[in-house]
Amino acid sequence: MTRHLIAVVPLWDGERDSIWMIPGYLDGIREAGAVPVILPLTDDREALLTAFAPCDGLLMTGGQDVSPALYRATREENCGAPCEIRDRMEAILYAAALEENKPVLGICRGIQLVNVLQGGTLYQDLPTEHPGGTEHHMSPPYDRPIHEVGIVKGTPLYELLGTERLEVNSYHHQAVKELGADLEVMAVSEDGLVEAVRHTGKSFVWAVQWHPELDFSVNQNSRSIFGAFVRACEQG
């Protein structure tokens, strides 16, 4: 039986001038039955599309802050340094995935970039722009819940998990501000932040703000999200 390939966007360590990877991204895909393939860090369109061609889906991982230039904003003091080659790389891959109707799963930075590429904007720093009592930047260990999200009834995420309340881990300081075009909110945090979205015009383009790659080994809901993504990739 052929196992399907899923392209995974690499993480970038600027201090070490090196790409790297959190094992949970790969393990979550593998345990759901597919084969993860880490892509090269490049904005060479031809190289990227060649590498992406045999893959059946795209996993957009966490990482640096998205460049505010992508949503026509000035970079504020508390916005982290972007990895602009990743911004360009993922814009190419995301457009290709949409054109070919390949499933996409975005995690953390992934939801932020999906929103921006759909024309939305971001809070550049939640503590200063959206202060509240919900902990969005937890300390280790990361495989435990830190706050709840409300899942919108009738959305595919609700249909998958069968609950209106979900406890999640959380490690981010940016988030969706203005929602991008063709996106539907699937979950909202206790303090009103968008925590999950889907593209309404595609078969499977989902993104979540929390980190299923960090707790899937102990969390059935996180395994279910990886499983839904892989099944969509298998179905073509």
Side-chain angles (χ1 to χ4, degrees):
M1 182 176 177
T2 301
R3 298 178 68 186
H4 292 259
L5 303 178
I6 295 178
V8 180
V9 176
L11 308 179
W12 172 249
D13 186 329
E15 292 183 2
R16 294 179 173 83
D17 193 26
S18 175
I19 65 170
W20 66 291
M21 183 52 58
I22 293 173
Y25 289 119
L26 310 181
D27 295 342
I29 290 171
R30 275 198 299 260
E31 291 200 11
V35 178
V37 177
I38 302 174
L39 297 177
L41 183 70
T42 179
D43 57 0
D44 180 325
R45 179 180 177 82
E46 182 179 357
L48 278 176
L49 296 183
T50 298
F52 187 46
C55 297
D56 300 292
L58 174 65
L59 176 62
M60 298 171 69
T61 54
Q64 285 84 358
D65 291 351
V66 176
S67 173
L70 291 184
Y71 48 97
R72 302 164 302 283
T74 301
R75 182 180 165 197
E76 302 294 340
E77 180 181 0
N78 292 312
C79 180
C83 179
E84 293 183 352
I85 192 170
R86 271 201 65 179
D87 291 341
R88 295 190 296 270
M89 170 183 177
E90 288 180 272
I92 293 169
L93 291 168
Y94 182 71
L98 293 189
E99 182 178 354
E100 300 170 27
N101 203 27
K102 290 184 178 182
V104 176
L105 177 62
I107 294 176
C108 193
R109 168 190 158 91
I111 188 175
Q112 296 161 16
L113 190 53
V114 165
N115 187 61
V116 167
L117 293 175
Q118 292 295 138
T121 65
L122 302 178
Y123 291 108
Q124 294 189 33
D125 181 62
L126 291 177
T128 56
E129 296 181 33
H130 192 279
T134 301
E135 177 58 75
H136 291 287
H137 199 268
M138 67 188 294
S139 58
Y142 299 114
D143 62 350
R144 60 189 174 92
I146 196 68
H147 70 79
E148 279 192 349
V149 300
I151 300 180
V152 180
K153 291 189 72 172
T155 63
L157 186 61
Y158 176 83
E159 297 299 325
L160 175 69
L161 302 181
T163 181
E164 292 183 62
R165 307 299 304 175
L166 181 67
E167 292 187 322
V168 299
N169 54 9
S170 190
Y171 189 79
H172 63 106
H173 83 110
Q174 297 199 320
V176 171
K177 186 177 182 180
E178 296 172 330
L179 190 67
D182 300 318
L183 296 181
E184 176 187 24
V185 176
M186 296 200 294
V188 180
S189 67
E190 298 156 320
D191 57 346
L193 289 175
V194 173
E195 290 272 346
V197 299
R198 75 175 183 108
H199 192 304
T200 59
K202 298 297 175 181
S203 58
F204 191 104
V205 176
W206 289 18
V208 299
Q209 185 59 75
W210 63 90
H211 288 272
E213 83 282 6
L214 297 178
D215 73 350
F216 78 94
S217 63
V218 296
N219 188 326
Q220 178 58 50
N221 290 317
S222 292
R223 290 194 293 274
S224 294
I225 290 171
F226 276 113
F229 174 48
V230 168
R231 286 194 299 274
C233 294
E234 292 171 345
Q235 293 165 4

